[in-house]
Amino acid sequence: MAASSRRNPPPLPGAENQDPLSEMAGEDSDEGEDIFVGNSNPVAEAFQPDTANGEEPADLFSEAETSTAVNSSITTSKSNGVHSDNENDLFAEVSVELSMENPSTTAKSSGAEFTPSLTLSATQPESMEQLEEEKDEDSFDMEVAVTNPEKIGDGMNAYMAYKVSTRTTLPMFRNRTFSVWRRFSDFLGLYEKLSVKHSLNGCIIPPPPEKSVVGMTKVKVGKDDSSSADFVERRRAALERYLQRVVCHPSLLQDPDVREFLERDELPRAVGTHTLSGAGFLKMINRASDAVSKMTIKISDSDAWFDNKLQEVESEELQLRKLHAVVDSLVNHRKELCGNTAVFAKSMAMLGNSEDNTALSRALSQLAEVEDKMETLHQEQAASDFFILAELLADYIRLLGAVRGCFEQRMKTWQRWQEAQSTLQKKREVEAKLLWANKPDKLQQAKEEITEWEGKVTQYERDFDRISVTVRKEFLRFEKQKSKDFKSQIVKYLESLLQSQQRHVKFWEAFLPEAKAIA
Amino acid sequence: MGSIAAQLFSGLSRDIKSGSSLGSVNVDLQTDATLQVDISDALSERDKVKFTVHTKSTLPNFKQNEFSVVRQHEEFIWLHDSFVENEEYAGYIIPPAPPRPDFDASREKLQKLGEGEGSMTKEEFTKMKQELEAEYLAIFKKTVAMHEVFLCRVAAHPVLRKDMNFHVFLEYNQDLSVRGKNKREKMEDFFKNVVKSADGVLVAGVKDVDDFFEHEKTFLLEYHNRVKDASSKSDRMIRSHKNAADDINRIASTLYTLGTQDSTDVCKYFLLVSLPLQKIEARVAADEDLKLADLLKYYLRESQAAKDLLYRRGRALVDYENANKALDKARAKNKDVLQAETSQQVCCQKFEKISESAKQELIDFKTRRVAAFRKNLVELAELELKHAKGNLQLLQSCVGVLKGDT
């Protein structure tokens, strides 16, 4: 009974220092800087990979803890240090970014960060660790790329095969660089397998790009136009991003299925990914039942963190959807603008031809050429709008869905625990009744059941605690990743705008003297 | 729609002088002291616009040196039509009538905004309202400019400026009681136009002796068609541009909402990005509209007026030739010779009068056109450059801030 009264989140390992950690728990990474500055005492010395958090490699947990409470027990985390400390790097970014308003502090912290001195200064041991982490990251890097879409076969049985190339220095792979051919259903199959294994742990599993019957049919039928080329390119890019997210995830990367996907030459055809198969229907049914149960579960969680985060996620998803719709509209309008500009350019050229003042005629033809160039610019802009912005938004809308799924898993685990508790309660009542009614043989059975259920309750409670920790960790990791992703994409988008404006300037500067020369 | 439209449409008065785009389309209007006309103010009411026409003149036939009257669009049309119907002015290019003030599109958008008020946040609503108001203002300024240009062209024309109707228009400070054409008159107009265009084709088929006019005929025909084409295509292009700009505005405001809701890093980036996005497209579209589309539209009308001149001359030529033939026939039959002679004289005079002024008018038209295009194209290029450079700076600083975080 005591267990049910505990509603506080399980103390994170290394909770000797409650303060910085609870700060961490409640807030966003913005508080990173405070932790860095304030927490110079090596928490990790006292830290033991807590057996309560029995995730697979304890190392990964130590990594997690380094991110939440910067410490110096990094040595344990280096074994599979793939992206060992994205979190740390992002923290560094964050701390610098916070000083956006104070350029002086920016210089200071970035300077401190990159001091390659080997003496750990007492005030900033964390930054040295970050540096070591970065070094580790460099030596254990992993790159995947999806390229060369090729159409295999013909007619309705045709499919696109994509080349998946990996370049890595991780020891668990046989070679350093290798590539295999995969088709879309293989990617979906990978997702299914990972889903089955890891979603129960509360991992956020990156969702693959969506199926598109229309798009694929066009490709199969062999329509060799720009729209099917666009579709293939879009899918290829989406698959690449999907894979990159998968290998970015420290625990997913450990999964043998992922390794197999990347390495094995021939993959057994993934069944159950076809929409109209039996497995497909089963999935739909499961999803429906999930939706129903979702509506009825409400954890009376005194840890408001999860509640708040879920709300944030939901509102963010809403906004992103809105944004995505508008970006879509923008892409369409730009394409329209493109067409209209081309038509206008031709019309201007005609006008220039019929104009009998030679200088004006030449200027008008020049104008027509400028407008033609504008058209190319618009087209490129539309492409970048789409590939940079719209796809980013679509990806994150799907990812936020996965995050919500994660939270739901936690709720389900909680529900299971609660149900077990109520079953235990009932069994105890039965036992009490039996005691009173004095039936020793049934009593024995009842006692056995009680022990069984007590064990279950303890286990489920531990499961819940574990999944809560995982979800929290995953969510924070997700937020960092999202921050990084958005930032890099936004920078890319702005740079594309920049380039387009530069060319704008060039074109009009070339035109101006022509216009002035009209007499 | 009621409340917003009412606010917007009533009592919206502008000091036009400050935003005057006089000369944006027409360039060499000699503003000489003997007669200066401009529209000093304009008031927009529910479904009409009232222009305050202000005149400064040293001519003796006006009672005062400086005076103002209030005129409506129909009165401008009346003035224009009176020129067109006046045989004395057959040899001149009549300045094209200003287009009717058209706020329908704006009104529709405003209505939609009013209906959708509940479904958007307060900021979005105020923002969209501001945009619509700005758009409305732009259309308003444009229509004022068009009316002003018409008056100035008339005032600058050596012959038309002396027209009696024009003086009445400028001076008579009561309502001219010019009613819009009723249905019957509109029908009459329609048929007149049909006849005229048929006749025009006939007349155009007659080869002209004078090379100059023959060349002008072919030139104007082709030019007019191509200007019409260019004008409609430019309209479409600018509309797409405005649509894209509208989308970008919506994106920017959503980003702003996202940015203010959350306190994470991502949102700071969002806020940063929304700034340049907003400014870039909208201004470009607006400038293109002003410099290019308006120019093309104006010259569409001007070239039509020039074509009309040629038509009248052609008509006069045909009449003259017919009169010649009639005279020959009369002389041959020796019947009604005097009558034929006088009619031939009249036709000859008319034709020669028209030809003489037409030549000068067409040359002037060319000069005006070249100058106007030059001015507008230069201004267009300069504006595009200015905006592109400004945007470049803005984008560079944004990228700098974002990248500088790492």
Side-chain angles (χ1 to χ4, degrees), chain A residues 181 208 361 449 509:
Chain A
W181 288 89
S361 168
E449 283 182 359
E509 271 180 348

Side-chain angles (χ1 to χ4, degrees), chain B residues 112-131:
Chain B
K112 268 201 218 140
L113 181 67
E115 283 167 6
E117 181 170 358
S119 69
M120 52 180 101
T121 67
K122 189 137 201 311
E123 292 102 21
E124 279 175 20
F125 181 71
T126 3
K127 201 143 167 289
M128 285 198 71
K129 186 157 153 246
Q130 277 174 355
E131 276 161 36

Side-chain angles (χ1 to χ4, degrees), chain B residues 63-81:
Chain B
K63 290 195 204 84
Q64 296 165 298
N65 278 354
E66 190 168 348
F67 47 90
S68 295
V69 293
V70 176
R71 291 283 171 252
Q72 290 183 31
H73 175 73
E74 287 77 22
E75 292 162 319
F76 285 78
I77 300 300
W78 164 81
L79 184 61
H80 173 260
D81 289 347

Side-chain angles (χ1 to χ4, degrees), chain A residues 30 96-97 319 329-330 333-334 340 343-344 347 350 354-357 487 490 495 498 501 516 518, chain B residues 219 222 226 230 233-234 240 247 263 265 269 273 281 366 369-370 374 388 391 395 402-403 405:
Chain A
D30 279 347
V96 176
E97 191 261 332
Q319 291 287 20
S329 157
L330 173 66
H333 280 144
R334 258 214 234 274
N340 286 341
V343 164
F344 174 68
S347 167
M350 296 284 279
S354 67
E355 173 63 60
D356 54 2
N357 177 308
K487 181 168 167 183
I490 286 178
E495 284 182 335
L498 203 81
Q501 290 297 308
K516 288 193 165 153
I518 301 173
Chain B
F219 165 73
E222 194 186 52
R226 295 204 175 161
K233 302 276 162 62
S234 86
S240 306
D247 280 340
S263 60
D265 312 334
Y269 309 146
V273 162
E281 302 287 347
K366 201 177 297 272
R369 184 177 76 239
V370 172
R374 179 185 193 280
N391 293 334
L395 285 170
L402 281 177
K403 273 189 165 169
D405 285 351

Side-chain angles (χ1 to χ4, degrees), chain A residues 106-319:
Chain A
T106 312
K108 184 183 75 163
S109 40
S110 53
E113 199 178 288
F114 290 109
T115 330
S117 67
L118 286 176
T119 48
L120 286 177
S121 57
T123 46
Q124 303 239 308
E126 305 82 2
S127 47
M128 257 318 295
E129 300 316 326
Q130 291 164 37
L131 184 55
E132 280 185 24
E133 251 72 87
E134 284 172 50
K135 280 209 204 130
D136 291 343
E137 198 182 327
D138 288 341
S139 46
F140 288 109
D141 76 341
M142 174 123 188
E143 278 172 27
V144 285
V146 175
T147 51
N148 304 55
E150 266 179 33
K151 184 167 167 198
I152 314 268
D154 233 338
M156 285 314 285
N157 289 327
Y159 62 91
M160 293 302 291
Y162 303 88
K163 185 168 173 194
V164 176
S165 320
T166 323
R167 189 180 69 78
T168 177
T169 47
L170 288 175
M172 65 181 174
F173 290 100
R174 271 175 288 170
N175 306 319
R176 294 202 136 211
T177 54
F178 46 91
S179 49
V180 291
W181 288 89
R182 294 279 176 260
R183 54 185 291 184
F184 185 66
S185 52
D186 294 335
F187 289 83
L188 292 182
L190 177 65
Y191 173 69
E192 297 293 322
K193 290 190 205 148
L194 290 178
S195 228
V196 161
K197 279 195 259 179
H198 294 271
S199 61
L200 295 175
N201 297 338
C203 275
I204 299 176
I205 312 201
E210 279 144 4
K211 289 193 249 204
S212 164
V213 179
V214 175
M216 263 328 274
T217 319
K218 265 204 232 165
V219 172
K220 285 182 186 175
V221 163
K223 253 184 104 182
D224 204 16
D225 64 356
S226 63
S227 71
S228 47
D230 270 350
F231 171 78
V232 171
E233 171 55 30
R234 188 176 162 189
R235 178 165 274 196
R236 182 208 65 79
L239 289 174
E240 189 173 77
R241 288 195 304 273
Y242 164 64
L243 265 194
Q244 281 166 347
R245 288 202 182 100
V246 169
V247 301
C248 223
H249 194 298
S251 26
L252 287 185
L253 183 58
Q254 304 299 312
D255 191 308
D257 276 327
V258 172
R259 230 175 301 158
E260 188 183 65
F261 181 88
L262 291 173
E263 270 189 328
R264 191 162 156 189
D265 279 326
E266 282 294 323
L267 216 53
R269 186 67 205 285
V271 293
T273 59
H274 195 76
T275 333
L276 299 176
S277 66
F281 278 126
L282 203 62
K283 258 180 273 170
M284 278 196 283
I285 294 171
N286 281 337
R287 235 173 294 179
S289 64
D290 277 351
V292 171
S293 55
K294 215 190 304 177
M295 293 190 283
T296 53
I297 299 180
K298 181 73 180 105
I299 300 186
S300 55
D301 202 351
S302 66
D303 181 10
W305 189 89
F306 288 94
D307 254 341
N308 289 341
K309 289 304 171 184
L310 187 58
Q311 268 181 2
E312 272 178 29
V313 164
E314 284 175 346
S315 93
E316 192 170 346
E317 192 177 335
L318 214 66
Q319 291 287 20

Side-chain angles (χ1 to χ4, degrees), chain A residues 5-6 16-17 32 35 84 97 148 163 196 253 345 376 380 387 432 434 457 476 485 497 504:
Chain A
S5 59
R6 187 157 69 98
E16 288 83 337
N17 292 8
I35 299 181
S84 53
E97 191 261 332
N148 304 55
K163 185 168 173 194
V196 161
L253 183 58
T376 329
E380 288 172 11
F387 279 107
L434 287 177
V457 166
L476 292 175
D485 248 348
L497 280 181
H504 228 94

